[in-house]
Amino acid sequence: MDQHLPSAANIAVAHKQKLSYLAEMLDFPLERLDLLRQAVTHPAFFEGQKHGGRRPLDNQRLEYLGDAVLDLVIGEYLYHAYPNAREGELSKMRAVIVCEASLAAQAQKLGLDETLRLGRGSELSGDRHRPSILADAFEAVTGALFEVGGLDKAQRFLYTQFKDKMDRLSAADYEDKKSLLQEIVQKYSPKGVTYKLLDTQGPDHAPSFESGAYWGKILLASGKGSSKKESEQAAAQAALANKQVWLDKVKFYQDADG
């Protein structure tokens, strides 16, 4: 055996240290550390292991619970914070807060990417940094906090994670960026915005796409993302942020064509 590779015992000790640090940060009771361990245990961790017909203690059930708690806590806060917002608008606001990218970003800030327990194959495929798995872990940790401290504890935790962001929400944050860009352009031109894939990089498990938002042949902006759809949204967002750069061109060429 390669002496440079960490032993299973050393890995277990290192993980316990990371878990204890996470528990301290979350004010999670140490006598319930088993529940927090479950929250950071991906189902793939048990691949190839025998468990005598009993369900392994992975984080899927806690993820289900945390998802419901997130919807309730975030939904209630937005309901009171934006008394003039209609139901559809509130739903869009909540979707921005609890979307995969948002939860994955908070999971990384908490260090969940380093605390996750994954199977060997899952580890090798890059799942430790995959947004969907990080978002699931964040939901599971939320569920675990609810289990040990009820709604009050889960609420306090989620407020520390999202209150600042919820207080500063604007239509530009929660409305679909591509739709907003299309509306702006079509005020001046019947010709809408189109998107082109400009580049693809990275390994299969973590690709990076770059797309451009175009009005005719004019590039309004480009953006990158982990999927083609995400890169198009990023391009639209960049175009919205820099509309003073290209809007005069659209008006000029449209007037010239007209």
Side-chain angles (χ1 to χ4, degrees):
M1 184 175 68
D2 191 336
Q3 293 182 347
H4 295 290
L5 293 176
S7 66
N10 288 339
I11 291 173
V13 169
H15 185 267
K16 187 173 182 179
Q17 290 174 340
K18 292 176 182 177
L19 197 66
S20 297
Y21 177 76
L22 179 62
E24 182 180 353
M25 185 167 39
L26 297 174
D27 191 26
F28 202 95
L30 293 180
E31 64 270 17
R32 297 299 308 276
L33 205 60
D34 60 323
L35 192 65
L36 188 58
R37 182 180 294 107
Q38 181 181 345
V40 297
T41 301
H42 188 266
F45 179 76
F46 297 104
E47 286 179 359
Q49 297 184 26
K50 296 180 180 179
H51 44 82
R54 294 179 298 176
R55 177 182 173 82
L57 294 177
D58 60 43
N59 64 5
Q60 288 188 316
R61 283 171 53 84
L62 286 171
E63 174 197 336
Y64 162 81
L65 181 60
D67 178 64
V69 174
L70 267 160
D71 277 352
L72 174 60
V73 171
I74 302 302
E76 183 195 22
Y77 186 89
L78 295 172
Y79 174 83
H80 291 292
Y82 297 90
N84 296 321
R86 301 180 68 85
E87 177 190 0
E89 193 175 7
L90 288 169
S91 294
K92 291 177 183 178
M93 290 179 180
R94 181 174 62 188
V96 167
I97 302 299
V98 304
C99 72
E100 180 181 288
S102 175
L103 300 185
Q106 295 308 120
Q108 283 190 309
K109 289 179 182 178
L110 290 171
L112 297 187
D113 53 336
E114 296 299 325
T115 317
L116 275 170
R117 294 205 299 171
L118 299 169
R120 179 172 172 78
S122 185
E123 187 80 73
L124 292 173
S125 67
D127 283 351
R128 185 168 297 279
H129 305 291
R130 198 179 298 276
S132 60
I133 289 176
L134 289 172
D136 290 347
F138 185 92
E139 289 178 336
V141 166
T142 300
L145 284 164
F146 177 80
E147 276 291 278
V148 300
L151 188 59
D152 285 347
K153 191 171 187 66
Q155 186 182 63
R156 287 194 300 272
F157 165 67
L158 292 175
Y159 283 2
T160 65
Q161 302 297 303
F162 299 116
K163 186 178 183 300
D164 288 346
K165 185 176 180 180
M166 290 191 289
D167 286 342
R168 298 195 308 266
L169 283 173
S170 66
D173 295 314
Y174 55 81
E175 293 289 356
D176 179 75
K177 305 301 185 294
K178 292 174 68 174
S179 297
L180 282 175
L181 180 60
Q182 199 75 265
E183 288 175 12
I184 290 173
V185 170
Q186 289 187 331
K187 286 180 181 178
Y188 305 98
S189 168
K191 183 166 55 178
V193 179
T194 58
Y195 294 86
K196 296 179 183 178
L197 183 63
L198 302 177
D199 191 23
T200 305
Q201 296 183 357
D204 290 342
H205 70 268
S208 175
F209 298 86
E210 182 177 10
S211 292
Y214 286 84
W215 179 77
K217 294 182 179 181
I218 297 177
L219 175 64
L220 306 183
S222 63
K224 295 182 179 181
S226 58
S227 67
K228 183 180 177 184
K229 180 179 178 181
E230 191 176 294
S231 69
E232 290 178 354
Q233 287 287 344
Q237 185 170 4
L240 288 167
N242 298 302
K243 65 180 180 181
Q244 71 278 2
V245 174
W246 52 262
L247 191 54
D248 286 341
K249 292 181 182 178
V250 171
K251 293 178 183 177
F252 174 80
Y253 285 113
Q254 183 57 38
D255 291 342
D257 290 343

